[in-house]
Amino acid sequence: MNRSGESGQKAGEERLSTLMNNVNAIRAVSSAVEGTLGPKGLDTMLVDEDGEVIVTNDGVTILEKMEVKHPAARMLIKIATAQQDKVGDGTTTATILASSLVQEGAAQVHRGVPVSQVIAGIRKGIEFSLSHLQEISIPIQGLDDPNLARVAYIASRENQDICNLVMEGCHLVGYEQLLQEDWRLSDLVYPYEGEESEVFEGVLLARMPLSKQMPTRLKDPLILILEDGFAPEEIDEEALGTEIGFQRFLDNKEAFKYNLQKIADLGVSLIVCQRSCDPIAEEFCIDRGITVLHRVPKAELVRLADHVGAKPIKRMGLNKSSMELTELLGQAEQLRTDDRTGRVRIERGRGKATATILVGAATAEVVGERGRIARDAASSVQAAVKGGIVAGGGSAEMGICRGLESRRAGIQGLEGYGVEAVLAALQKPMGQMMANAGFNPLEKLEEVRSAQRLAGSTFIGLDYSTGKVQDLLEPGIIDPALVKYYALKAAAEVAESILRIHTVIRMKSYSESQE
């Protein structure tokens, strides 16, 4: 063999070595969450060096908390996190699909199929899968659709109380709100240790009135919201040292005092501000029975403003006329303060409907997991409203697999090997659930495949309690189609990225690069 041939062989071996190293790292991450998948999945205990313990079944929590150093493994975790950010559920499925795609794709490369051809085949297979998934999904017909309650129940891991909380929250916010792209039902879930679970119409703020002398209960409060501090306009320190600057400082204080009286005359009884409150304003509000909540995070401020129908203003906005300010005020039915927990409820505002879903438990460990379950359920319900439902338990993926098998016959050339990688990956979720339930995946997968083919339905699947193959729509074993959609999409993205990696090179550290 000549020198160039030896060099090419060595380069090829190095590429395969890098690929297999990445595959092993991906497999290790996937194995950490595989045992949690499905109705018979078990919990994972996470322990840090200080002895803090988290017991959870939540895939994204496991992935985010586990110690990972390998760069390819970190890529997989980032994709799972992106799945969580997009739809709030399905991270374990996305991780298992991605791991399977990488492993199957790597196996084809190891056989001699060029990486580019494998990736092209994976793209075709995923494109068909996403299209077919949309075709087989069934839309949700309003909040009273029984399929929606079943989605909540399954995503709640059959905790009926959490399911009820989430569905009650849905009815309070309304169907149209659930369809909003930039709004998430899961953001309304608040887990609290030692609390009773409940849902109420309104906003919960983890803030107390600025002074104990301020009212802790208000009836029909008029509400002023400031995206700023409740204080006079500020003067630059340098300008303050000049005569003109000092005079402006005095003028601002006088204007602020005038504005305070104007606010009181308007009947404002609650002021919520993003920054701190000036002592003059604090004393004024105490004397007139006005409650002030300060240092409220912007996200909570915006949510409150939407609910009470207020328009947030900067401190300069206080110079507006009384008529103009009146149009910026919000109103709610009541404010209640809980001294024990240090929180304030502002209930039944006149603006957009919202809800607060309180999830309680006796201990911090339990309440943390119940909160994660409730957020998953809320995310799944919203995803079902947006994109409809498909069969659960891996049955939808098996149905897509059957469709892709027929498509595979028409794909010529080496790209077909990439399609085969997708076919294998689509069977992985159901196979893993079967293994977690104690069944033989090879046997049961073939049973489901044959039954689906005979019935011509993707809703034929396995009852993981009995091991019987049945129609899953009748008992309501269903999943949101969007969760499956984004899991497949995310898995394909990370698989393609990892399969493309030629070699791994350590970068210079920041200190080294400065030398």
Side-chain angles (χ1 to χ4, degrees), residues 179-474:
L179 292 172
Q180 297 299 314
E181 285 298 323
D182 57 348
W183 185 88
R184 297 179 64 169
L185 180 64
S186 59
D187 290 341
L188 309 186
V189 175
Y190 292 82
Y192 281 107
E193 181 182 355
E195 290 289 291
E196 293 294 327
S197 298
E198 64 170 311
V199 179
F200 67 88
E201 183 183 354
V203 175
L204 185 73
L205 300 178
R207 290 290 183 274
M208 290 290 285
L210 180 58
S211 170
K212 292 183 178 180
Q213 301 175 59
M214 292 176 175
T216 57
R217 285 182 174 268
L218 297 171
K219 185 71 173 174
D220 300 321
L222 276 177
I223 305 168
L224 173 67
I225 296 181
L226 292 167
E227 289 182 320
D228 208 337
F230 188 31
E233 291 183 48
E234 296 176 346
I235 302 294
D236 185 83
E237 286 188 15
E238 187 176 340
L240 193 58
T242 67
E243 185 178 344
I244 295 175
F246 185 70
Q247 184 58 50
R248 186 181 169 196
F249 167 75
L250 295 176
D251 292 343
N252 286 349
K253 287 190 72 173
E254 287 303 313
F256 185 63
K257 290 178 181 178
Y258 174 79
N259 288 334
L260 287 175
Q261 188 58 53
K262 182 168 55 179
I263 290 169
D265 292 342
L266 287 173
V268 172
S269 54
L270 175 62
I271 298 171
V272 185
C273 54
Q274 188 174 337
R275 295 170 63 189
S276 61
C277 176
D278 184 84
I280 295 174
E282 180 182 352
E283 193 64 31
F284 180 91
C285 291
I286 290 172
D287 292 342
R288 286 157 182 78
I290 300 173
T291 300
V292 178
L293 304 175
H294 75 152
R295 301 188 185 282
V296 176
K298 185 172 182 179
E300 294 183 14
L301 206 71
V302 171
R303 184 179 164 217
L304 175 63
D306 286 343
H307 181 54
V308 302
K311 295 179 181 178
I313 59 172
K314 298 291 186 182
R315 69 181 75 183
M316 288 184 63
L318 297 175
N319 295 322
K320 295 178 182 290
S321 68
S322 297
M323 184 175 296
E324 290 174 312
L325 280 176
T326 300
E327 295 177 354
L328 303 175
L329 300 178
Q331 191 166 22
E333 188 173 304
Q334 68 173 341
L335 172 144
R336 291 193 293 154
T337 301
D338 188 335
D339 292 328
R340 185 177 63 85
T341 60
R343 298 192 297 269
V344 169
R345 294 186 182 199
I346 301 170
E347 301 179 6
R348 293 180 286 280
R350 71 179 181 188
K352 292 181 182 178
T354 191
T356 293
I357 304 171
L358 282 174
V359 181
T363 66
E365 291 80 10
V366 175
V367 81
E369 181 66 358
R370 280 174 59 82
R372 287 185 284 269
I373 292 171
R375 289 192 182 101
D376 282 351
S379 298
S380 292
V381 165
Q382 188 169 9
V385 168
K386 289 180 177 181
I389 55 100
V390 292
S395 298
E397 290 92 329
M398 280 296 297
I400 296 169
C401 186
R402 289 191 304 108
L404 186 58
E405 283 173 347
S406 61
R407 180 65 62 92
R408 166 68 179 92
I411 297 176
Q412 302 297 321
L414 296 177
E415 290 181 359
Y417 292 103
V419 175
E420 288 182 6
V422 177
L423 285 168
L426 286 170
Q427 299 175 63
K428 181 63 177 177
M430 176 174 275
Q432 187 62 53
M433 288 185 230
M434 289 172 172
N436 290 347
F439 299 112
N440 183 336
L442 289 175
E443 176 188 354
K444 292 298 181 181
L445 280 171
E446 189 54 42
E447 280 188 39
V448 172
R449 184 183 289 106
S450 298
Q452 282 195 358
R453 187 180 297 112
L454 187 63
S457 171
T458 61
F459 277 91
I460 302 297
L462 190 72
D463 183 328
Y464 291 98
S465 295
T466 64
K468 293 182 179 179
V469 175
Q470 64 180 53
D471 188 328
L472 302 182
L473 188 58
E474 184 177 343

Side-chain angles (χ1 to χ4, degrees), residues 95-143:
T95 302
I96 290 173
L97 284 169
S99 175
S100 183
L101 273 177
V102 170
Q103 291 179 59
E104 296 296 333
Q108 301 296 355
V109 173
H110 199 270
R111 292 176 59 185
V113 183
V115 171
S116 60
Q117 298 291 85
V118 173
I119 289 174
I122 288 176
R123 286 178 178 174
K124 286 186 176 181
I126 292 296
E127 182 181 356
F128 170 83
S129 299
L130 295 176
S131 175
H132 192 50
L133 180 65
Q134 292 176 315
E135 291 174 5
I136 64 175
S137 65
I138 299 175
I140 292 293
Q141 305 295 331
L143 295 180

